[in-house]
Amino acid sequence: MLDDLTKMAEPYKIKMVEPLKIRTKEERIRLIKEAGYNPFLLNAEDVYIDLLTDSGTSAMSDNQWAGMMLGDESYAGSKNYIHLVEVVKDIFGYNYVVPTHQGRGAEKVLFPVLVKKGQYVVGNMHFDTTKAHIELSEGIAVNLVTREAEDVGNYHPFKGNFDIEALKSFIEEKGPENIAFILATVTCNSAGGQPVSMENIKEVRKMADKYGLYLFFDAARFAENAYFVKQREKGYENKSIKEIVREMFSYGDGFTMSAKKDALVNIGGLIAIKDDVELFTKVKTMLIPMEGFVTYGGLAGRDMEAMARGLEEVLSEDYLSWRINQVKYLGDKLREAGIPIQYPTGGHAVFIDGKKFLPHVPQEQFPSHTICVELYIEAGIRAVEVGTLLAGRDPVTKKEILPALDFVRLTIPRRVYTNSHMDVVAEAVKRVYARRDSIKGLRFTYEPPILRHFTARLEPVE
Ligand SMILES: *Cc1c(COP(=O)(O)O)cnc(C)c1O
């Protein structure tokens, strides 16, 4: 365990570097205009600090890279698959495991097995590809996150929790036969990377038992969630991260996972099932035509080896402490400057409240997205909007959906940037905030019909 002094810096040293290209402000103004004021359409080389996502952007360790050289690229029965299964069993206590090419591959395979047409999948807050795959399986995605999640400025230790009362009434109102399964997303990405408490997970398990429902996890940030439990929940302060993870997952029946987050790899996913062998047989049957044979599921052997090693590394408390505190470090700097953020900061990102930051920009003119554009112009920082542009239009009325949470997400890749980079980000946000009154919103010049945020083109409103 780290003490005061050793906590002050990264618990690793840098063995390989990737130089950054630095564009001038004039160049950035031109580049963002050419990209239709949409940071997704920028070339990564034109970005100085890339906080678009923490997905697949981690730096692997020397141990993971060494594992890459031990890839067993056999079609069937690769030793890396066998190692991966052993590691998952050891950490999570789940017996049945298959890899997938990434998290959405796991969703695509598992959900049609579980969902019958018109059934509900109830979660704390579904991730966007998760919602899409529920709908592709002809199910209905329902979010029942605690109301504290919307209380952006106020502290609550577990803003990712389920609203247990709402869960109970929803199941009773619709009838358990109309619920496909319960899905707990840890940490709750869409609410700001906010954790779910062990107590809440236990309550959800009770509900699942009472009504005879499956409880699955969307486990992308399982280790970050466990770290928060250790920090914030009574009775867990002396448990190891591994013990906490083991207990958390003992309440579930299985999980889907994007390994591009806490498994510290650039690509990959997993489906794991605790003990339901019939369900696992169905999963394997779907996996083969969709992702690949059971022992590779769309991944190279070397990728499975890196994933197995990443899953073990991420349990390190020294690593997690640095990781979570780096996010907090940035969040604290912004809060000290009076910038409205989701508080406390979550596991993987700082979320700025765009509506409060630019109160004069109507929500239909994308205040959070506008801040992203300004951050690129200010310092070459690429952030991402999680708000009105992402929410899209109501499928029936075609009106803009105006979500309660309208955020700029500053997503911190794992083990990639130092706190000096975080200082640059904080300074850039402060400078944009200082000139906020003169910032105008944006409107479409091209609005794609679906998933519009990825390819939309915009211009400043005059
Ligand atoms: C990233 C993510 C997914 C989807 O995973 P991909 O690997 O991007 O396909 C699903 N759920 C959550 C919570 C995620 O963060």
Side-chain angles (χ1 to χ4, degrees), residues 116-324:
K116 291 199 201 84
K117 190 176 172 162
Q119 278 187 324
Y120 297 93
V121 178
V122 283
N124 40 353
M125 206 163 175
H126 298 298
F127 181 67
D128 49 12
T129 64
T130 315
K131 177 170 183 281
H133 277 293
I134 292 167
E135 289 167 0
L136 284 169
S137 314
E138 302 190 284
I140 303 163
V142 179
N143 294 334
L144 298 174
V145 76
T146 173
R147 288 203 194 94
E148 267 97 10
E150 285 182 16
D151 191 2
V152 174
N154 282 323
Y155 183 89
H156 185 278
F158 293 104
K159 286 187 175 181
N161 277 355
F162 279 81
D163 180 336
I164 297 291
E165 277 311 305
L167 178 64
K168 185 165 187 282
S169 7
F170 188 87
I171 299 172
E172 285 181 354
E173 188 197 315
K174 303 293 177 187
E177 67 284 2
N178 293 314
I179 313 288
F181 63 101
I182 304 173
L183 186 67
T185 303
V186 292
T187 58
C188 189
N189 186 351
S190 312
Q194 297 291 320
V196 184
S197 72
M198 192 74 87
E199 187 195 359
N200 193 253
I201 294 169
K202 274 194 231 176
E203 289 292 319
V204 176
R205 175 75 254 173
K206 272 192 216 151
M207 222 48 89
D209 285 340
K210 181 167 177 196
Y211 298 106
L213 299 171
Y214 278 126
L215 168 58
F216 276 79
F217 285 98
D218 183 348
R221 298 178 182 80
F222 72 98
E224 290 173 3
N225 200 90
Y227 183 80
F228 282 117
V229 167
K230 179 163 172 131
Q231 293 298 306
R232 296 181 185 169
E233 198 162 350
K234 214 165 154 273
Y236 293 93
E237 47 282 84
N238 296 318
K239 294 220 153 93
S240 70
I241 297 296
K242 193 169 168 182
E243 286 169 324
I244 295 171
V245 169
R246 191 66 179 248
E247 183 184 337
M248 259 165 66
F249 284 82
S250 74
Y251 303 121
D253 298 295
F255 68 71
T256 55
M257 183 193 289
S258 167
K260 300 173 72 173
K261 285 82 174 220
D262 271 356
L264 300 171
V265 288
N266 304 117
I267 196 75
L270 282 176
I271 303 173
I273 289 164
K274 191 198 273 168
D275 50 22
D276 188 333
V277 67
E278 256 174 64
L279 178 62
F280 187 58
T281 305
K282 288 185 200 159
V283 164
K284 285 191 289 186
T285 310
M286 287 285 278
L287 187 83
I288 296 168
M290 299 273 198
E291 295 284 286
F293 184 64
V294 179
T295 64
Y296 77 89
L299 294 179
R302 53 181 171 268
D303 293 331
M304 292 189 282
E305 188 58 34
M307 195 200 296
R309 293 176 184 218
L311 285 169
E312 287 184 325
E313 279 177 23
V314 79
L315 301 175
S316 153
E317 214 166 297
D318 293 348
Y319 158 76
L320 283 169
S321 162
W322 177 258
R323 159 76 179 156
I324 304 288

Side-chain angles (χ1 to χ4, degrees), residues 41-66:
L41 303 179
L42 288 166
N43 288 340
E45 276 214 315
D46 295 327
V47 175
Y48 174 45
I49 300 176
D50 203 345
L51 307 184
L52 187 70
T53 177
D54 65 325
S55 180
T57 52
S58 303
M60 292 209 298
S61 66
D62 53 356
N63 178 50
Q64 286 177 291
W65 278 107

